[in-house]
């Protein structure tokens, strides 16, 4: 049908298969694939506070995703962490300041993986998700327009 494909992991072989099928059926689609390393970002002014208050929510989500995966089934979110400290050390989930987020965006450049925002997950309070999004909209985006 030529519909877009958004795989849940970096799977170049799936992209190749998709493009072959599009060519076979005379359709045009596109693929938006996460990079091989795709950190999920939550933005906070105080990173340590956010990890202390919301790290358990991130860990819950990471452990849930891990329970669904095997060596043959994977997604961009792949964590082996058993506790919040381990999750923080892995870097799959990252809580960053607005300044750190700007730096990550600039590092990725125009051809980079971009930013994958993850403001709300695993039972995190909705207001915390909104806080993360407001920080991105008010303190990150304006600095990336240059």
């Amino acid at each position: 049908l030529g519909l877009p494909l958004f795989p849940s992991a970096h799977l170049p072989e799936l992209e190749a298969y998709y493009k072959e099928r599009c060519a076979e059926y005379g359709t045009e689609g596109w693929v938006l694939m996460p990079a091989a390393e795709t950190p999920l970002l939550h933005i906070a002014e105080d990173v340590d506070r956010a990890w202390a208050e919301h790290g358990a929510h991130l860990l819950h989500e990471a452990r849930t995703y891990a329970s669904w995966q095997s060596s043959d089934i994977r997604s961009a979110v792949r964590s082996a962490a058993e506790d919040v400290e381990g999750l923080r050390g892995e870097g799959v989930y990252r809580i960053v300041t607005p300044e750190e987020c700007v730096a990550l965006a600039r590092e990725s450049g125009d051809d980079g993986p971009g930013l994958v925002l993850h403001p709300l997950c695993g039972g995190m309070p909705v207001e915390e998700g909104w806080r993360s999004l407001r920080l991105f909209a008010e303190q990150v985006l304006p600095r990336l327009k240059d």
Side-chain angles (χ1 to χ4, degrees):
L1 297 175
L3 297 173
L5 174 65
F6 184 40
S8 63
H10 185 75
L11 301 167
E13 65 280 7
L14 183 60
E15 179 179 21
Y17 178 80
Y18 169 82
K19 288 181 176 180
E20 289 169 8
R21 297 294 74 77
C22 283
E24 180 181 334
Y25 293 110
T27 59
E28 291 184 32
W30 51 273
V31 177
L32 180 60
M33 186 174 351
E37 289 187 27
T38 308
L40 301 176
L41 303 176
H42 183 82
I43 303 166
E45 291 171 316
D46 183 338
V47 170
D48 292 330
R49 177 204 57 85
W51 272 109
E53 292 180 12
H54 306 295
H57 300 295
L58 301 172
L59 181 63
H60 170 73
E61 182 179 277
R63 298 303 311 140
T64 300
Y65 271 97
S67 74
W68 300 335
Q69 298 179 57
S70 66
S71 59
D72 295 336
I73 300 170
R74 63 189 191 277
S75 76
V77 180
R78 190 163 186 95
S79 171
E82 296 292 331
D83 56 30
V84 172
E85 183 179 321
L87 185 67
R88 186 174 182 176
E90 280 181 337
V92 174
Y93 289 81
R94 294 186 194 169
I95 299 176
V96 297
T97 65
E99 294 76 20
E100 291 168 330
C101 191
V102 168
L104 287 169
R106 290 186 174 149
E107 284 173 19
S108 70
D110 292 337
D111 297 327
L115 303 174
V116 178
L117 301 181
H118 202 50
L120 188 62
C121 77
M124 186 179 288
V126 172
E127 183 50 41
E128 180 63 20
W130 279 116
R131 184 179 355 259
S132 178
L133 288 175
R134 278 192 292 276
L135 287 170
F136 183 78
E138 296 169 6
Q139 295 186 31
V140 176
L141 275 181
R143 294 168 62 189
L144 297 179
K145 291 182 180 181
D146 302 340

